Amino acid sequence: MKIAMIGLGRMGGNMARRLMEGGHEIVAFDRDADAVAKIVADGAEGAASLDEARGKLGSPAIWWVMLPAGAITEQTIGTIADAAQPGDIVIDGGNSFYKDDIRRAKALAEKQLHYVDVGTSGGVWGRERGYCMMIGGDNETIAHLDPIFETLAPGTGDIVRTPGRIADKVDQRAEKGYIHAGPAGSGHFVKMIHNGIEYGLMQAYAEGFDILKTKSSEILPEDERFDLNLTDIAEVWRRGSVISSWLLDLTAIALAKDEKLDQFSGHVADSGEGQWTIDAAMEEKVPANVLTASLFARYRSRVEHTYGDKVLSAMRFGFGGHVEMPQ
């Protein structure tokens, strides 16, 4: 299939390359001409504007927007809507707020355009590992786009089928690493909750390693101090422990490079999904004690930094390439 990839940053560029490796054609556009030139060298077809991109696409045209949530995504989708033709498909694969998706889908439907929201997880490792995707939109459009999603997804790999899942009674997409969650907005809603959980998991690891490190502190009686090897602890927990995970893998990698984590500021950013998750919990009157505390811990990290905050920064750099600096 032929897809216009709008936005060639850490995620968009790698997704475009994975699609090309899977046999799809890419029309690439980015405000950064160098980013376009690099992906053209890898086999994509470049476009200097959204109008030019439309001229290079078939019908229905498929527009995949991979930009930061907010004004730039809103503006870009509006410009695409003006350039698009009836039947075209607009996909937002960033981290947009799900209520914005619901509004956009209605607005684009008035122009006979289809809107799909794709919550995408995989970070800078996605080109190699594949992307976990949570998708919102109408059934017919999702079915049309299925070859794209299947190429981007990790596939079944060597993960054993979950006991109790019967192959002919479940959606095979989930076992390949992507789902059609429901109508427009549902994909980003599921991804939003995914990120809220991610905050909680990361905070648990961060606090645990902070406690381990502080065990050698002079605030404790000398005979109760342990000079623990955090690198080895992270490594042993990766192997057979019930708390093993990819986040722990990333922590172990960072500690193996530098147990003090001096390259990380401990100023932990958030991209919005954590707060949106807590807002949704409040709207639904669902207690979310751990997720709320983990969000507030990120706010606190911008005032005073702990070793645990550096662990958080290390994980964020590991999966997303986020470079955090004090402000």
Side-chain angles (χ1 to χ4, degrees), residues 96 98 101 117 185-194 277 280 284:
S96 289
Y98 77 98
D101 295 314
D117 56 290
S186 64
H188 277 147
F189 183 80
V190 175
K191 176 57 164 49
M192 178 184 80
I193 304 305
H194 163 286
T277 298
E284 298 170 17

Side-chain angles (χ1 to χ4, degrees), residues 88-105:
D88 284 359
I89 301 167
V90 180
I91 304 168
D92 180 4
N95 281 328
S96 289
F97 185 44
Y98 77 98
K99 292 183 180 181
D100 289 335
D101 295 314
I102 296 170
R103 170 180 51 78
R104 289 178 194 145

